[in-house]
Amino acid sequence: MKINYCDTLVVGGGLAGLRAAIVARQRGLNVKVISLVPVKRSHSAAAQGGMQASLGNSNKAEGDNEDVHFIDTVKGSDWGCDQRVARMFAQTAPKAIRQLAHWGVPWSRVKEGDKTAVIDTKKVTITETKEAHGLINSRDFGGTKKWRTCYTADGTGHSMLYGVANKALGEDVDIEDRKELISLIVENGICYGGVVRDLISGELSAYVAKGTLIATGGYGRLYRVTTNAVICDGSAHATVMEAGGTLGNMEAVQFHPTPIVPSGILLTEGCRGDGGVLRDADGYRFMPDYEPEKKDLASRDVVSRRMLEHIAKGKGVDSPYGKHLWLDISILGREHVEKNLRDIQDIAMSFNGIDPADENGKGWMPVRPAQHYSMGGIRTKETGELTTLKGAYSCGESACWDLHGFNRLGGNSVGEAIVSGMIVGEYLADYCENSDINISTASIESHIKKQKDYLQSILDRPKGESAHELKKEMQDVMDAKVGVFRNGPHLEEAVRELEDILKRSNNISVEGSKSLTSANPGLDSAYRVHKMIKVALTVAKGALDRTESRGAHTREDFPKRDDEKWLKRTITSWANENDTLPTVSYEDLDVNTMEIPPSYRGYGKKGLIIDHPDTWERKEVVSRIKEQLIADGSDRYAIQDALMPYELPSNYKERNRRLGDSGDE
Amino acid sequence: MSREITISVFKFDPRDKASKPEFVDYKMQEDPGMSLFIALNKIRETLDDDLSFDFVCRAGICGSCAMIVNGKPTLACKTLTSQFKDGHIKLMPMPSFELIKDLSVNTGKWMDGMSKRVESWIHSSKEMDYTKLEDKVEPDVAQEVFELDRCIECGICVAGCGTKAVNENFVGAVGLNRVARFQIDPNDERTDADFYELVGDDDGIFGCMSLMGCEDNCPKDLPLQNRIAYMRNKLIQVGKQK
């Protein structure tokens, strides 16, 4: 049997995996990246709108810094995130974006002088200074206090992915595509790589490594109506559970407000960030009635709920695909649409025959919330190492690191991918430099054989269940009962039905090719769907047990955010191979170590919070420390350090210089 | 009223000695707004679970699903079945790439080779300090680089290329566009003489016969012929001095 050895195995060739691989390669390690698809086709490419980093270059970004980015991220998460991780992220993001510029990502740049922007449907003039001319520009996005989202028109993810993938090629990172991880190799609680299937030849081989990184993206395809690429099926999450890893907050699933109907293809938040608005069946702009302050740009969970509320009031537009609302970007003018939102125009024209620049309502695009992002994922420590599996790491969307808590801000997804790749890549490289491969060839071969026997048993099975049928049933359950609005009875049904579907998936058979030695799409589906159903169960069970509403997790029967009972992270695992339900436990979030104690987010419904008993005391402690340090003349860095110290590898903690800083700050 | 459509698909597994290249007809009811992404998945789910094809984003962004649709290379995900009035659609894998199986071709491997050949990354000797303000770039220059950076490596320009059909080693419009992209990128220190070393021959910039198959079919509407002409002009100047 074929065994490949390397220092570092990276599973997943999107932004997160490639960025981490570059770190490991630059530190002299022998790195292998395996990817389901050519890496430049990864789902990172589909991120349209931008990446948040507090550069503070443009007029509307003036005064921005890590502190403001941090606060926005914590509020966005509805206090569900790990605040130290949010600090690590906000501090590193400006460095990440500047480095990417150096690697050739053609960020849009600030142009000196007056420009017209649309804010609140009115044309306003913004004046950029001479000093800012040529620096990286930023646009407005939901849930942020400053215009912080850096972009390349509406192709940001594409440009970032190409920049990083090209850099990886230049660094001679060894990349193998059309390869799929199907199990992890674990011995004595330590992970040594995995068993990998070649999707062209069907060959199974072992990729043995000192350290292994899982960066396989989200699990959006558990839902039928999703913006996610077809490869974002979450099956690697099951693979990690099968090896003894755990998943965090799987019920935290984001629904984006404006995918186009019916295809579910994303129309970026940049549409509204640039001044576009939502309209109802009467052409009325309804969001200011619900959210007077942030209007169309409240956080995604809030806007999605408000849209469905508005449709429930009878204000939706009828269509053969159910009711929807309109997204209007025609008010931005044709020139803006054709320059900054060109891919949006292309999508609307190709899939709906609508030119969104057309005026008088002709260009309005039909939109309705759909699954978009997985806040939950493989539970890791701050270093990215799995909490229960040594030598295995995860970063990017696949991980629950936990930057996003129960809702991610727009512009923080590719941001997390890059930044966590940088940070976790360093910790992973540290680990790989200081560890050995202690596993026998015989043991590795037994791991391969186990998978081979498993796949053969699927192929040998006479007529059984159809993987496609089971997947459809699973997606129907997830769409109908584990969607934007959730409740106890529906979730109980969902768990019961998914458990039944899981049992049936043990009897999946393959209709067509019985070959284990060539490309076999029937077999691909057979083993992936079984894994997907397990992951769907962690989402549904987590949602059922969490009897509160927080961020994107909305329980109609428990409308309040309950910090007293639920300021904790859901942990799901698969204790025994033959279990039909995940095992659920919890990790507490400690109010007494938070830099920002829980409070109202500033958008969404008010008066719906049950306080944690420690919240008020912590608030007092925080304001006392702040007042004292301000009186002592301490700067914002010293205050931050006193409230919640945190670590970063490499030189990421060095201060980020900005326009107007004195040189010796 | 829904109509019946026939999708005729090329099937062949080059790794299976018993497999013979053939066209298989699949008939189905057309759904409103049906794209080839939806149609091919419907075939796999209900008629033939062994049919190989590639989709990732299904939104025209990732470049995975290029194939020959009724004789033309195009992105399948953005092709609606309603545009074929007679209800007959013939699908073939793109030529010029290694066939994996059925409609699936190995564009990834080819594009990796192209990227390495034109050294598709920034060449810079500058030490970067990312704690400091980034280098300034003229907004219009950044926009120009982005225009050429929009290529999604789908392979359509290669499949549609007459030069590639007669010269196996031709680097393709995708490779020449890539060179043009780095040539105008202010971060890249390479000179025209450096680019001449990479593509200054008949397999590169001087091989193009200007048949326009690339630009005519490019799903991102990249100005390929214009950029090839621009690079050719630049590299002729280098060649003259040799």
Side-chain angles (χ1 to χ4, degrees):
Chain A
M1 281 181 254
K2 195 162 147 192
I3 303 176
N4 307 284
Y5 287 93
C6 58
D7 293 320
T8 311
L9 175 66
V10 174
V11 184
L15 275 174
L18 288 176
R19 186 62 191 82
I22 291 170
V23 174
R25 184 72 200 95
Q26 287 179 332
R27 287 186 46 177
L29 293 161
N30 171 9
V31 188
K32 260 190 204 302
V33 177
I34 59 163
S35 171
L36 283 177
V37 296
V39 293
K40 286 173 178 166
R41 315 227 186 278
S42 305
H43 189 50
S44 306
Q48 297 165 351
M51 165 172 164
Q52 285 198 48
S54 59
L55 299 178
N57 290 328
S58 65
N59 175 297
K60 287 282 181 183
E62 211 179 300
D64 202 5
N65 61 37
E66 303 79 19
D67 295 355
V68 191
H69 190 184
F70 166 71
I71 293 167
D72 284 344
T73 302
V74 173
K75 282 184 181 171
S77 81
D78 219 353
W79 272 271
C81 72
D82 180 331
Q83 293 194 10
R84 278 211 299 274
V85 166
R87 268 291 174 193
M88 294 162 77
F89 168 69
Q91 178 68 18
T92 310
K95 298 181 178 72
I97 219 151
R98 286 170 172 164
Q99 184 180 55
L100 289 176
H102 188 63
W103 290 358
V105 175
W107 298 110
S108 288
R109 300 287 172 147
V110 178
K111 206 171 200 163
E112 178 191 357
D114 290 349
K115 67 172 178 189
T116 310
V118 176
I119 301 177
D120 223 4
T121 69
K122 289 178 193 66
K123 287 207 164 126
V124 294
T125 302
I126 296 171
T127 309
E128 300 291 359
T129 64
K130 188 165 183 264
E131 290 69 40
H133 182 83
L135 294 175
I136 295 171
N137 206 355
S138 54
R139 59 163 43 138
D140 201 7
F141 249 45
T144 68
K145 211 169 167 80
K146 303 282 179 186
W147 289 24
R148 187 183 300 125
T149 304
C150 308
Y151 62 99
T152 59
D154 54 1
T156 313
H158 166 84
S159 289
M160 291 174 73
L161 182 62
Y162 271 58
V164 172
N166 283 330
K167 178 73 180 171
L169 287 174
E171 295 285 332
D172 214 13
V173 173
D174 184 5
I175 299 171
E176 299 180 13
D177 59 40
R178 295 183 189 262
K179 298 261 162 78
E180 179 175 16
L181 174 82
I182 56 170
S183 77
L184 287 170
I185 297 173
V186 175
E187 196 163 87
N188 301 321
I190 303 174
C191 178
Y192 296 106
V195 177
V196 171
R197 179 162 172 263
D198 183 320
L199 298 173
I200 297 176
S201 70
E203 186 183 34
L204 290 180
S205 58
Y207 282 63
V208 177
K210 293 172 179 173
T212 304
L213 178 72
I214 314 287
T216 49
Y219 44 88
R221 284 278 156 179
L222 300 181
Y223 294 82
R224 188 199 317 284
V225 187
T226 174
T227 63
N228 283 194
V230 298
I231 51 174
C232 304
D233 65 9
S235 55
H237 290 79
T239 303
V240 165
M241 280 199 294
E242 286 159 3
T246 64
L247 307 181
N249 283 346
M250 292 297 281
E251 66 273 29
V253 176
Q254 181 174 78
F255 297 82
H256 195 287
T258 62
I260 202 161
V261 176
S263 63
I265 294 168
L266 177 67
L267 303 178
T268 173
E269 189 160 318
C271 292
R272 283 168 294 133
D274 286 4
V277 296
L278 291 164
R279 298 190 187 278
D280 65 14
D282 307 324
Y284 176 70
R285 185 191 176 202
F286 58 92
M287 275 307 293
D289 296 351
Y290 293 99
E291 296 293 331
E293 199 194 322
K294 300 294 293 184
K295 305 187 179 81
D296 299 85
L297 280 175
S299 64
R300 289 176 178 175
D301 56 328
V302 171
V303 178
S304 290
R305 281 195 293 271
R306 297 304 200 183
M307 288 171 72
L308 295 179
E309 265 180 82
H310 202 63
I311 289 174
K313 284 181 187 166
K315 294 293 180 184
V317 184
D318 282 316
S319 85
Y321 306 98
K323 288 183 188 302
H324 64 76
L325 294 161
W326 300 113
L327 176 61
D328 175 11
I329 60 171
S330 66
I331 54 173
L332 306 178
R334 182 167 289 279
E335 191 190 338
H336 183 95
V337 170
E338 292 187 347
K339 183 174 166 209
N340 286 311
L341 297 167
R342 186 165 27 172
D343 277 359
I344 296 307
Q345 186 184 35
D346 186 28
I347 287 165
M349 287 171 91
S350 305
F351 295 93
N352 294 63
I354 294 170
D355 179 354
D358 280 350
E359 289 174 1
N360 302 320
K362 260 181 73 189
W364 296 355
M365 299 176 284
V367 292
R368 187 173 55 220
Q371 195 286 338
H372 179 57
Y373 189 81
S374 313
M375 277 78 72
I378 300 160
R379 181 66 188 134
T380 72
K381 305 173 191 171
E382 284 163 22
T383 57
E385 190 173 32
L386 270 59
T387 48
T388 55
L389 199 54
K390 208 168 146 53
Y393 288 70
S394 182
C395 69
E397 189 175 351
S398 62
C400 176
W401 187 26
D402 173 5
L403 173 63
H404 309 299
F406 277 76
N407 177 64
R408 172 180 67 76
L409 290 185
N412 269 354
S413 65
V414 280
E416 182 192 31
I418 279 292
V419 168
S420 69
M422 291 167 74
I423 295 172
V424 172
E426 293 286 349
Y427 287 125
L428 170 64
D430 290 344
Y431 176 83
C432 293
E433 281 172 0
N434 295 298
S435 53
D436 295 312
I437 294 173
N438 286 313
I439 182 166
S440 69
T441 311
S443 175
I444 294 165
E445 288 182 344
S446 76
H447 277 277
I448 305 175
K449 184 167 187 307
K450 186 179 170 191
Q451 293 307 314
K452 197 174 177 185
D453 291 348
Y454 170 64
L455 297 183
Q456 191 62 53
S457 74
I458 296 175
L459 292 172
D460 291 345
R461 205 169 280 148
K463 180 101 184 120
E465 298 278 355
S466 149
H468 301 296
E469 182 54 36
L470 293 184
K471 182 162 129 189
K472 187 172 166 293
E473 287 183 34
M474 171 196 73
Q475 289 174 332
D476 285 342
V477 172
M478 295 300 284
D479 279 358
K481 294 169 183 170
V482 201
V484 175
F485 290 105
R486 303 167 175 181
N487 64 57
H490 277 159
L491 288 168
E492 267 174 41
E493 284 170 26
V495 170
R496 210 166 43 236
E497 289 163 13
L498 289 170
E499 188 181 10
D500 176 58
I501 297 169
L502 178 67
K503 287 176 188 164
R504 288 164 56 204
S505 75
N506 287 316
N507 190 32
I508 288 177
S509 65
V510 177
E511 289 266 306
S513 166
K514 301 287 186 186
S515 170
L516 207 50
T517 54
S518 64
N520 188 340
L523 181 60
D524 299 347
S525 301
Y527 61 79
R528 286 177 195 162
V529 167
H530 176 65
K531 287 177 191 269
M532 288 170 78
I533 301 165
K534 283 184 177 172
V535 181
L537 268 163
T538 67
V539 179
K541 186 71 167 74
L544 171 63
D545 291 358
R546 183 174 286 272
T547 49
E548 67 154 354
S549 292
R550 182 181 299 273
H553 172 68
T554 311
R555 285 287 297 257
E556 293 165 316
D557 42 354
F558 297 94
K560 292 187 177 178
R561 189 183 91 199
D562 188 348
D563 289 348
E564 187 179 356
K565 289 203 193 72
W566 287 105
L567 207 53
K568 49 190 173 190
R569 198 168 283 126
T570 306
I571 302 295
T572 39
S573 59
W574 215 268
N576 300 296
E577 210 169 322
N578 298 323
D579 283 357
T580 54
L581 285 175
T583 303
V584 181
S585 62
Y586 294 94
E587 250 174 42
D588 283 329
L589 271 68
D590 184 3
V591 174
N592 292 306
T593 58
M594 287 182 186
E595 185 173 336
I596 325 174
S599 141
Y600 174 62
R601 302 163 88 188
Y603 42 80
K605 284 182 183 164
K606 286 189 182 169
L608 287 175
I609 300 171
I610 300 169
D611 282 319
H612 189 278
D614 294 347
T615 296
W616 290 105
E617 198 189 317
R618 179 61 183 168
K619 279 186 175 165
E620 275 174 28
V621 170
V622 167
S623 48
R624 202 164 53 235
I625 294 173
K626 270 190 186 166
E627 276 164 29
Q628 201 177 347
L629 288 172
I630 289 169
D632 293 349
S634 300
D635 62 11
R636 66 185 181 91
Y637 302 99
I639 295 171
Q640 194 289 315
D641 190 53
L643 291 174
M644 190 186 69
Y646 68 96
E647 304 273 322
L648 274 172
S650 187
N651 65 343
Y652 300 155
K653 203 155 178 193
E654 272 183 37
R655 292 180 187 185
N656 298 305
R657 303 270 167 73
R658 294 184 179 79
L659 209 58
D661 283 349
S662 57
D664 57 356
E665 193 211 18
Chain B
M1 254 303 279
S2 148
R3 62 173 181 166
E4 190 182 73
I5 55 172
T6 304
I7 301 187
S8 186
V9 182
F10 176 86
K11 281 202 81 177
F12 178 49
D13 181 356
R15 272 157 208 84
D16 177 359
K17 289 201 174 66
S19 174
K20 293 238 164 18
E22 59 174 340
F23 280 95
V24 178
D25 286 354
Y26 303 96
K27 290 183 193 302
M28 69 176 75
Q29 287 300 306
E30 184 179 43
D31 299 326
M34 187 180 237
S35 64
L36 284 179
F37 165 71
I38 295 170
L40 283 168
N41 275 290
K42 199 166 168 181
I43 293 173
R44 194 190 272 173
E45 284 162 21
T46 58
L47 300 169
D48 181 358
D49 77 353
D50 187 38
L51 182 63
S52 288
F53 50 77
D54 295 315
F55 288 98
V56 179
C57 79
R58 59 83 170 89
I61 291 165
C62 75
S64 299
C65 64
M67 57 181 73
I68 306 293
V69 181
N70 284 4
K72 279 187 133 182
T74 191
L75 293 182
C77 73
K78 281 173 71 181
T79 304
L80 301 182
T81 54
S82 57
Q83 73 191 62
F84 303 96
K85 297 299 169 217
D86 67 355
H88 279 76
I89 304 167
K90 194 168 195 173
L91 304 180
M92 292 174 74
M94 282 196 296
S96 296
F97 298 97
E98 177 189 317
L99 179 68
I100 292 174
K101 181 169 164 286
D102 308 335
L103 298 173
S104 176
V105 293
N106 207 335
T107 51
K109 184 175 166 186
W110 195 92
M111 292 297 167
D112 252 25
M114 176 279 296
S115 293
K116 286 180 178 158
R117 182 164 157 197
V118 305
E119 299 184 8
S120 167
W121 50 86
I122 296 287
H123 290 52
S124 172
S125 56
K126 211 175 140 193
E127 277 295 309
M128 203 250 161
D129 180 356
Y130 51 32
T131 67
K132 297 214 171 88
L133 283 186
E134 62 273 17
D135 289 343
K136 291 189 170 186
V137 175
E138 271 305 311
D140 293 344
V141 172
Q143 180 70 28
E144 272 176 56
V145 176
F146 174 68
E147 289 299 317
L148 304 187
D149 200 50
R150 292 171 61 248
C151 167
I152 54 175
E153 296 190 1
C154 59
I156 284 174
C157 61
V158 177
C161 177
T163 304
K164 179 72 173 71
V166 294
N167 177 5
E168 177 59 25
N169 293 323
F170 185 55
V171 72
V174 57
L176 298 175
N177 175 70
R178 189 61 49 79
V179 170
R181 180 236 174 277
F182 284 105
Q183 199 265 350
I184 59 167
D185 190 321
N187 292 293
D188 201 309
E189 291 166 0
R190 279 178 288 183
T191 62
D192 289 346
D194 294 325
F195 292 120
Y196 186 90
E197 291 303 316
L198 296 172
V199 295
D201 57 19
D202 284 350
D203 293 337
I205 198 74
F206 303 120
C208 170
M209 299 189 289
S210 306
L211 298 173
M212 303 290 283
C214 52
E215 187 162 329
D216 286 349
N217 293 298
C218 175
K220 302 307 274 186
D221 294 325
L222 294 170
L224 296 169
Q225 282 300 323
N226 175 303
R227 291 296 89 189
I228 290 172
Y230 168 84
M231 278 313 300
R232 187 189 293 127
N233 193 18
K234 288 277 171 195
L235 298 193
I236 283 172
Q237 304 307 320
V238 177
K240 278 183 181 164
Q241 286 159 20
K242 292 245 164 197

